[in-house]
Amino acid sequence: MSALRSRFPSRDSASQPARSPLTRLRPSLIRATRSAAVLLFSVLPLAADGTAVAADTTNLPIKVSALTWNVCGAWRGCVEWDEPEAKVERVVEVVRQDPTVAVIMLQEVCLGLHAEPLQQQLGEGWLVRFRAAPHTGPGESPDGVVSCDADRRGLPPGDSPSPLLGGDEQGGQTQDQRAQIGGRRDVAGVLVAMKNLPGSQLHPVNMTFVQDPSQGAACIKDTGNLLFACSSHFMNERADPDRRSRIASGHNFRDQSFFLQEQGYRTVIGGDLNAAPDSVPLRPLYDGNFEADSTMKTPTFWSKALVKLDHIFFSDHGWDSLGAGILFPGDLSDGHWLSDHVMLKGSVTPTS
């Protein structure tokens, strides 16, 4: 394991980065984003006096873990692109080995090859939701749908839209991907899965980022336990060389989750954000949140350079950190890895 540790060195950080006010990128657009988020989440519960409902810890386990992984499964250049079953089985294996995992965030997945099989294998104890993404790997599409190489994947369309597709509460171009995608199963995107904990009432709530509507997140809201989780995949540097989209996405992701926090929700957001810790695109996310591995910051991407691109942010409200670590996506003995990203798992304990 010493050789592996040298490939994935850890870096200690004396303190978390300073909280960043949301005032640096296009103030008028940021105000518009906040206004949209207020409208979006105005249906969340408030107490009789108008204050936010306090998060209840009664039904929550003492330890809650979240897993994020870019499975590299949506295009031909991916590592082990022809082994979707193995990628899904690896996720299920982690969940079965660690019953504290309550949130799963996956990126570069295909609806019919990864998302639907994952729901089937996890069973009724979990809810999986998928959001198609117009920028996945090197490809992009103006209509917000990227094909997972349908010609080689052999994914015939279904008779009706997948039940894993959710509506988008923001409205706009991606108001309801069920209508947009129809019965196709060959689309690429991101997924989030949440465990049915005692008292759970799970509802899919996708996000569209206001400043860059091509971007967004797959989300699930637990109104019973006041939990909220989202998986996103920001553009990579080839698609976004000046970082404008990633900077906007960082602000939007923070703004929309912030209003959940104001309503008493504990939030878990993250994914492959294609940006390093403390970088400009991610600075907004440190405002009101802490990163799962804020002291280690271990690299998670190894294909071309050792760099940390995958992140889990827990809200300051309602969580105390229990640490984080990486899980290798494959068999270390023979070097058979299932992705060019490692898995990142973070753990917290609920607080009142």
Side-chain angles (χ1 to χ4, degrees):
M1 292 296 292
S2 60
L4 289 172
R5 290 193 184 100
S6 67
R7 289 190 67 191
F8 292 90
S10 62
R11 295 186 291 120
D12 291 330
S13 176
S15 62
Q16 292 191 36
R19 304 305 189 201
S20 173
L22 302 177
T23 56
R24 298 184 179 180
L25 177 68
R26 301 183 186 178
S28 61
L29 286 176
I30 294 171
R31 286 194 295 270
T33 302
R34 286 175 168 163
S35 297
V38 170
L39 292 173
L40 167 63
F41 297 121
S42 62
V43 298
L44 297 177
L46 296 174
D49 61 0
T51 60
V53 174
D56 184 9
T57 62
T58 303
N59 294 318
L60 296 179
I62 193 171
K63 182 179 181 180
V64 175
S65 299
L67 172 73
T68 187
W69 184 31
N70 181 328
V71 306
C72 195
W75 57 289
R76 187 179 293 271
C78 284
V79 176
E80 306 299 344
W81 58 269
D82 57 348
E83 296 192 27
E85 299 88 354
K87 295 172 189 278
V88 172
E89 288 171 1
R90 178 62 179 134
V91 176
V92 174
E93 177 185 31
V94 171
V95 171
R96 289 174 177 166
Q97 290 176 346
D98 184 357
T100 73
V101 175
V103 173
I104 301 168
M105 299 176 284
L106 303 183
Q107 304 83 44
E108 291 192 28
V109 295
C110 299
L111 175 57
L113 293 172
H114 306 100
E116 291 183 327
L118 180 64
Q119 177 69 87
Q120 182 178 13
Q121 291 198 38
L122 290 176
E124 295 181 355
W126 286 79
L127 179 67
V128 177
R129 280 300 180 266
F130 173 90
R131 182 185 188 276
H135 297 274
T136 300
E140 60 182 82
S141 171
D143 65 359
V145 176
V146 175
S147 170
C148 291
D149 290 342
D151 57 334
R152 65 170 172 79
R153 297 285 184 143
L155 287 172
D159 296 331
S160 61
S162 171
L164 273 58
L165 292 170
D168 189 317
E169 289 194 0
Q170 280 98 327
Q173 294 180 350
T174 57
Q175 181 174 6
D176 193 336
Q177 292 197 327
R178 290 165 293 193
Q180 181 185 24
I181 294 172
R184 292 179 60 180
R185 296 298 195 272
D186 65 327
V187 291
V190 300
L191 72 77
V192 63
M194 187 178 287
K195 193 174 186 178
N196 271 297
L197 299 170
S200 287
Q201 299 177 34
L202 305 183
H203 309 278
V205 185
N206 281 354
M207 279 187 188
T208 292
F209 295 155
V210 178
Q211 294 178 26
D212 184 354
S214 73
Q215 301 297 289
C219 307
I220 295 176
K221 180 169 59 177
D222 180 353
T223 58
N225 292 312
L226 294 182
L227 300 179
F228 183 73
C230 290
S231 170
S232 188
H233 186 193
F234 291 4
M235 286 189 189
N236 60 36
E237 61 183 8
R238 287 172 294 174
D240 183 37
D242 60 4
R243 302 192 298 179
R244 290 175 65 88
S245 175
R246 281 172 286 174
I247 291 172
S249 295
H251 281 285
N252 289 180
F253 212 5
R254 158 62 185 141
D255 284 352
Q256 294 187 35
S257 61
F258 171 78
F259 287 101
L260 272 297
Q261 296 170 14
E262 282 202 322
Q263 302 300 324
Y265 278 78
R266 295 178 176 84
T267 61
V268 185
I269 62 174
D272 178 1
L273 305 185
N274 273 306
D278 311 334
S279 61
V280 173
L282 300 190
R283 285 177 188 169
L285 296 175
Y286 292 99
D287 183 10
N289 305 288
F290 62 88
E291 194 160 7
D293 58 338
S294 58
T295 59
M296 298 295 290
K297 299 181 180 177
T298 305
T300 59
F301 177 69
W302 57 267
S303 181
K304 295 182 179 179
L306 292 175
V307 61
K308 177 175 170 57
L309 300 178
D310 304 88
H311 306 264
I312 302 173
F313 287 91
F314 293 99
S315 56
D316 288 341
H317 161 74
W319 301 118
D320 277 348
S321 176
L322 294 177
I326 58 172
L327 303 173
F328 294 95
D331 188 346
L332 296 180
S333 64
D334 62 6
H336 181 69
W337 286 32
L338 294 170
S339 175
D340 53 5
H341 290 249
V342 296
M343 298 178 174
L344 174 65
K345 183 175 70 173
S347 301
V348 288
T349 187
T351 62
S352 56

